């Protein structure tokens, strides 16, 4: 959810002047980066996430497990940059933001995992864990209206798309008492894009994302 907050705050600069129908892509990207970097100076890196997180991974033929995380932090957020952003239109505006993080680190001082993988292999673990995420791009695309004085943005439709190059998973004490911990870590490392697709679907369900962004920048 921290990534969603960064996406919302980056919109602070995505507004067209009254006489402008289309802002140049390079101009809007520079404006987003300026607002984003100003915000990130106020952020402590790594960012502390919720004290307790439960996440159900239900991916057919991959995993059906419940993952809990306590005291998790996300590092590398100060390196987030905007690229190829676009704002067009006057009354009803098309807004497109692309935020790239070259490297993020999710650290879990305490995790538990229970369930199965590949439909039938039991899996459980408990201990410390870390995930290295490489080249993550979060795209936020929507329609709405934006005003400058005072600034506000109201989306009528919005969607989030997540893409990553690779992630490397390291869950300690996974499948304890066996030699399968390394194998399972390699397996989950290969399934990063599929698991991110599940996260993307959940974030786009209902009006939660739209209401979250509109609530921050309501008129």
């Amino acid at each position: 959810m921290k990534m969603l907050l960064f996406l919302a705050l980056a919109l602070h600069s995505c507004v067209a002047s009254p006489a402008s129908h289309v802002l140049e892509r390079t101009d809007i990207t520079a404006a987003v980066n300026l607002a984003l970097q100003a915000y990130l100076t106020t952020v402590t890196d790594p960012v502390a996430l919720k004290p307790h997180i439960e996440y159900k991974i239900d991916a057919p033929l991959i995993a059906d497990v419940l993952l809990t995380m306590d005291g998790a932090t996300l590092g590398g957020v100060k390196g987030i940059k905007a690229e190829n952003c676009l704002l067009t239109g006057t009354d009803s505006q098309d807004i497109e933001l692309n935020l790239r993080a070259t490297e993020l680190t999710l650290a879990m001082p305490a995790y538990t995992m229970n369930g199965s993988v590949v439909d039938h292999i039991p899996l459980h673990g408990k201990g410390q864990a870390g995930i290295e995420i490489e080249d993550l791009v979060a795209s936020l695309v929507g329609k709405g209206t934006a005003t400058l004085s005072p600034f506000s943005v109201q989306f009528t439709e919005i969607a989030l798309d997540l893409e990553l190059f690779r992630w490397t998973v390291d869950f300690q004490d996974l499948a304890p008492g066996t030699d399968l911990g390394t194998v399972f870590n390699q397996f989950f490392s290969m399934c990063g894009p599929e698991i991110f697709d599940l996260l993307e679907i959940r974030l786009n369900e209902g009006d939660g994302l739209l209401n979250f962004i509109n609530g921050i920048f309501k008129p």
Side-chain angles (χ1 to χ4, degrees):
M1 295 306 294
K2 290 293 183 182
M3 179 65 75
L4 292 178
L5 180 58
F6 298 149
L7 287 166
L9 291 167
L11 285 171
H12 181 64
S13 295
C14 289
V15 291
S17 65
S20 176
H21 179 67
V22 178
L23 283 178
E24 291 293 335
R25 182 179 293 265
T26 53
D27 292 341
I28 192 63
T29 299
V32 173
N33 266 317
L34 184 63
L36 179 62
Q37 298 312 312
Y39 170 74
L40 290 177
T41 61
T42 69
V43 172
T44 300
D45 196 342
V47 173
L49 305 182
K50 290 182 179 180
H52 179 77
I53 298 173
E54 293 187 0
Y55 185 67
K56 178 71 171 178
I57 303 174
D58 186 7
L61 301 178
I62 296 177
D64 181 10
V65 300
L66 177 64
L67 171 66
T68 70
M69 296 174 276
D70 292 304
T73 61
L74 183 65
V77 295
K78 286 186 178 291
I80 298 173
K81 304 288 186 181
E83 59 181 33
N84 299 327
C85 298
L86 185 65
L87 175 66
T88 61
T90 52
D91 294 332
S92 180
Q93 297 165 323
D94 294 318
I95 302 171
E96 177 181 344
L97 295 176
N98 297 287
L99 301 185
R100 182 184 296 274
T102 57
E103 185 175 353
L104 296 172
T105 302
L106 178 62
M108 292 167 263
Y111 86 92
T112 64
M113 184 182 294
N114 291 285
S116 63
V117 295
V118 199
D119 280 347
H120 66 281
I121 303 175
L123 177 66
H124 67 278
K126 182 178 181 180
Q128 298 181 357
I131 300 177
E132 298 289 336
I133 303 169
E134 299 177 49
D135 203 14
L136 172 67
V137 176
S139 298
L140 185 63
V141 179
K143 281 184 173 292
T145 57
T147 58
L148 185 57
S149 295
F151 175 79
S152 67
V153 60
Q154 288 291 288
F155 284 99
T156 56
E157 56 186 80
I158 195 171
L160 176 68
D161 179 70
L162 298 173
E163 299 290 341
L164 82 159
F165 171 66
R166 176 172 57 200
W167 77 352
T168 303
V169 172
D170 181 19
F171 287 94
Q172 299 180 21
D173 298 315
L174 191 59
T178 74
D179 297 325
L180 295 176
T182 299
V183 174
F184 286 133
N185 276 315
Q186 292 173 344
F187 174 75
F188 281 119
S189 293
M190 291 188 297
C191 296
E194 290 81 3
I195 295 175
F196 264 72
D197 285 344
L198 293 175
L199 176 60
E200 174 189 310
I201 291 171
R202 295 179 189 182
L203 291 174
N204 282 308
E205 289 177 344
D207 295 328
L209 179 63
L210 183 145
N211 292 334
F212 177 77
I213 300 298
N214 284 347
I216 292 177
F217 296 112
K218 58 186 177 182

